[in-house]
Amino acid sequence: MQIIECDAAYFNPRDVLECGQIFRFIPFKEGYKVFSADKACYVHTQKDRTLIECEDGDYFYNFFDLGRDYAAIIEKAKSFDVPLLTRGATLGAGLRLLNQSAEEMIYSFIISQNNNIPRIKGIIERICEKLGEEREFMGEKYHAFPSSAALAAQGAPFYKQLGAGYRDNYLAATSARIAAEGIEMLYPLPTPQLKKQLTTYTGIGPKVADCISLFGFGRRESFPVDTWIEKLYREDFGGTLKDRNKINAYFCNLFGEDAGYMQQYLFYAKRENM
């Protein structure tokens, strides 16, 4: 077992895990067990240090984005002189953007649309239990996220039975396409083209494409727009635009290459009523 330590001031497990960017985690002892692809870790905080216990330190060092200077990102957020953003960056200093499996994010965010987090987590967990390889971590069994081939081997009724609702056809069609084509051709695309290409997959619209780009492909210039972002756009930025695509363009132009970080700080501040 490997143990990675980092400054808890810039890594609050609760804030990182419960902000909507990841769905495969459970409370465990003093912290959480986190599952990504076919790997698992235990993350918790002791005094001023956050500890990650795992069997693949390189994977989780990258997964939790530990090589990045978040103090500098926080200062950049404050430089925009937007009160809500400054509060979010200050009080949410422990937030981090995760580097997750792109394929896992494609399916996870297809499931996420028009859904609540407990239900999303339940659907994903049931899919993993049925189709994912069984593994063990810290004396307990868990299931890896299944491959696209394993997902594609099932039809829409399988996903309907597991609670996916109308997303059953999305999962069946997109997994069949990815199993046949792979997604390697997506990685080198510039972000606007990546987003456009993602929306050609069944069940992926602009907001879901932005989430996949941000959390699965590491495109930190992406800025997902949901109801919370629409609300703060009107109330805290005095915005009058109604179209989400135009609101997205407004924030991307405003925040540039760091838009994804700013989205998380703004979302955190608004959700926590700061």
Side-chain angles (χ1 to χ4, degrees), residues 19-274:
C19 68
Q21 64 177 319
I22 182 173
F23 305 107
R24 294 180 63 213
F25 64 91
I26 56 173
F28 181 74
K29 295 184 178 179
E30 291 83 29
Y32 302 86
K33 272 188 183 177
V34 180
F35 309 98
S36 174
D38 61 349
K39 296 175 173 60
C41 73
Y42 168 44
V43 58
H44 57 107
T45 298
Q46 291 184 358
K47 296 182 180 178
D48 62 348
R49 308 296 290 172
T50 293
L51 283 67
I52 304 158
E53 300 183 33
C54 60
E55 295 173 349
D56 190 337
D58 290 342
Y59 182 88
F60 283 105
Y61 184 90
N62 176 67
F63 180 82
F64 287 113
D65 208 29
L66 298 183
R68 200 176 305 273
D69 182 1
Y70 275 78
I73 295 170
I74 289 167
E75 290 308 309
K76 178 72 175 291
K78 294 176 181 177
S79 74
F80 287 102
D81 200 27
V82 175
L84 184 72
L85 179 56
T86 297
R87 292 198 300 275
T90 301
L91 298 173
L95 278 167
R96 309 184 74 83
L97 285 177
L98 302 175
N99 295 307
Q100 302 184 72
S101 158
E103 285 194 32
E104 185 171 336
M105 291 300 95
I106 288 171
Y107 302 118
S108 296
F109 279 98
I110 285 176
I111 291 167
S112 78
Q113 56 193 295
N114 300 315
N115 217 341
N116 60 65
I117 287 181
R119 191 161 180 268
I120 297 163
K121 292 178 70 173
I123 295 167
I124 293 172
E125 182 60 25
R126 288 190 289 275
I127 290 172
C128 291
E129 288 175 355
K130 293 288 186 181
L131 303 178
E133 182 181 342
E134 188 175 271
R135 298 291 181 93
E136 186 173 306
F137 177 70
M138 299 187 82
E140 295 183 353
K141 296 187 185 303
Y142 72 96
H143 291 83
F145 196 88
S147 67
S148 289
L151 292 166
Q154 308 299 323
F158 171 82
Y159 299 108
K160 176 80 78 176
Q161 184 181 27
L162 296 184
Y166 68 88
R167 306 162 199 83
D168 58 347
N169 289 313
Y170 300 166
L171 293 168
T174 293
S175 62
R177 178 176 170 184
I178 293 175
E181 300 176 353
I183 61 168
E184 290 76 14
M185 77 294 288
L186 298 177
Y187 289 96
L189 294 177
T191 300
Q193 282 68 48
L194 171 62
K195 178 179 179 178
K196 183 177 180 181
Q197 188 61 25
L198 284 170
T199 61
T200 68
Y201 290 80
T202 304
I204 297 179
K207 185 257 184 177
V208 168
D210 279 323
C211 290
I212 295 167
S213 298
L214 181 58
F215 305 128
F217 286 89
R219 304 304 177 88
R220 300 322 198 206
E221 63 271 36
S222 299
F223 194 100
V225 176
D226 63 2
T227 54
W228 283 99
I229 296 297
E230 282 190 287
K231 179 179 173 66
L232 67 86
Y233 165 72
R234 293 192 303 271
E235 296 178 356
D236 299 278
F237 288 80
T240 58
L241 296 170
K242 303 294 184 184
D243 185 282
R244 281 192 176 185
N245 292 322
K246 292 181 179 179
I247 296 172
N248 166 265
Y250 167 81
F251 281 118
C252 286
N253 290 332
L254 177 60
F255 296 129
E257 64 182 7
D258 296 313
Y261 301 105
M262 305 308 139
Q263 194 265 7
Q264 288 290 284
Y265 294 137
L266 288 167
F267 180 85
Y268 179 83
K270 199 67 175 177
R271 186 190 63 179
E272 298 291 332
N273 247 341
M274 294 176 179

